Amino acid sequence: HLLVGGGVGVARPAFRPIHLVSNAPMPESVRIVEVGPRDGLQNEPTLVPTDVKVGFIDRLSETGLSVIEATSFVSAKWVPQMGDNKEVMAGIKRKPGVRYAVLTPNLRGFEAAVESGVDEVAIFAAATDSFSQKNINCSVIDSFERFKPLMEAAAVHGIPVRGYVSCVLGCPYEGAVQPDAVGFVAQSLREMGCYEISLGDTIGVGNPAATVAMLQAVKRHVPVEEIAVHLHNTYAMALPNMVAALQEGIAVVDSSVAGLGGCPYAKGASGNVATEDVVYMLHGMGISTGVDLDRLIDAGQYICTALGRATQSKVAEASIAKRLDEESQARQKRSSASSSDDQFVNHRSVVVAAAGHDAPVAAQRSQPRR
């Protein structure tokens, strides 16, 4: 139902409107997969120090998040930012109840990840051949063959595998993507053994109607409880698309603190939807996440300070401004109270001094006459 016009990846309305309200009930709780340390940092032009990455992950571990994608076991030649993957995994403080996942494109990466004691790995395919060729230098079908040895090894080690599908709502090279094509890739990954399929709007061109159409196609092949969405915010559609996904029964979402991230193969594509914004929205809708928003904002502020940039989260931006205003008002009150105390002390000193000056006279007056 979705056609392309006005530029690559820009969707114009379908001929027949798609009703966005589903009969499926909204989830009572949502699991958030935090991808900031991997997807958020992998495209940073300047290498982020290992201790900063470790500090970032450790702060995220204290927020209530249950899954953190920590790094990627890819060749440092292709993704230099992830070249310290072993050091990162060795340096983090693992919190009970938190799963630390990593991206592994091949068997070699998987074996290195196992040595680092990861809890979970992820593989990634694409909904179009063009993007697959650019990203991993092979077709979609060939990528499935590449993943087979990894999936077999994961089964032997008992390590769960999550599957990503890129460009589910638009491709920078082919434009609009047919929902059935996404369904085929998602089904193939599930049949290979992926326990969950994360559907990524890699370049952020989707809209709620397109999101619903895509999810309905995927749900014909994959149970809804095994589907997640991974939304980028290029056209500020990530949150509306997420609400549409919730209405389709999706209860797992990927996001990145401070809206970090981007796509190296699509100019102008911005980062992931900000985790702070997601948590604020979900809590406002009465949907639980188990995440502490204040601690999440602190983690985002930490990494943004380290990167020397402003947060892309509107919620964090507003919350930090509110904090600063409250701190300023508190300082003014303390200053005012201190000034009042000083005035009181000064006034008392004057009174005491005056009383002391008059004391001899009063004493003389009180002496008995002879």
Side-chain angles (χ1 to χ4, degrees), residues 119-330:
D119 300 313
E120 178 181 315
V121 300
I123 60 176
F124 50 95
T128 68
D129 279 329
S130 297
F131 191 86
S132 185
Q133 288 286 355
K134 290 284 186 179
N135 197 25
I136 56 177
N137 202 31
C138 69
S139 68
V140 174
I141 296 298
D142 288 343
S143 71
F144 297 151
E145 293 300 316
R146 285 190 183 184
F147 295 143
K148 283 183 179 179
L150 187 158
M151 297 301 299
E152 292 170 357
V156 170
H157 288 277
I159 294 179
V161 181
R162 193 175 195 241
Y164 282 109
V165 185
S166 301
C167 297
V168 299
L169 294 174
C171 172
Y173 310 107
E174 298 185 19
V177 176
Q178 292 299 318
D180 286 341
V182 181
F184 166 75
V185 177
Q187 180 184 21
S188 299
L189 290 175
R190 181 175 187 261
E191 290 175 349
M192 291 179 67
C194 292
Y195 81 92
E196 186 171 272
I197 311 299
S198 178
L199 305 170
D201 183 12
T202 309
I203 57 175
V205 297
N207 59 62
T211 299
V212 168
M214 180 272 296
L215 287 172
Q216 289 179 349
V218 173
K219 288 195 296 182
R220 288 195 286 269
H221 307 282
V222 180
V224 68
E225 60 270 15
E226 297 177 17
I227 300 173
V229 290
H230 181 114
L231 304 168
H232 285 241
N233 204 37
T234 311
Y235 289 91
M237 286 288 102
L239 290 179
N241 292 345
M242 188 173 293
V243 172
L246 295 173
Q247 291 176 333
E248 287 296 314
I250 305 301
V252 184
V253 301
D254 300 356
S255 59
S256 175
V257 161
L260 296 174
C263 177
Y265 305 108
K267 292 183 179 180
S270 64
N272 296 275
V273 62
T275 310
E276 300 95 320
D277 298 356
V278 171
V279 170
Y280 179 87
M281 181 187 76
L282 292 175
H283 289 181
M285 296 171 68
I287 299 173
S288 67
T289 65
V291 177
D292 185 313
L293 181 56
D294 287 330
R295 290 189 174 187
L296 198 64
I297 291 171
D298 291 340
Q301 199 168 13
Y302 167 84
I303 193 61
C304 285
T305 299
L307 296 176
R309 66 174 57 177
T311 180
Q312 296 301 301
S313 163
K314 292 298 184 183
V315 168
E317 184 180 13
S319 298
I320 292 169
K322 183 179 179 182
R323 286 181 185 179
L324 293 174
D325 182 59
E326 290 174 346
E327 290 171 3
S328 176
Q329 291 183 22

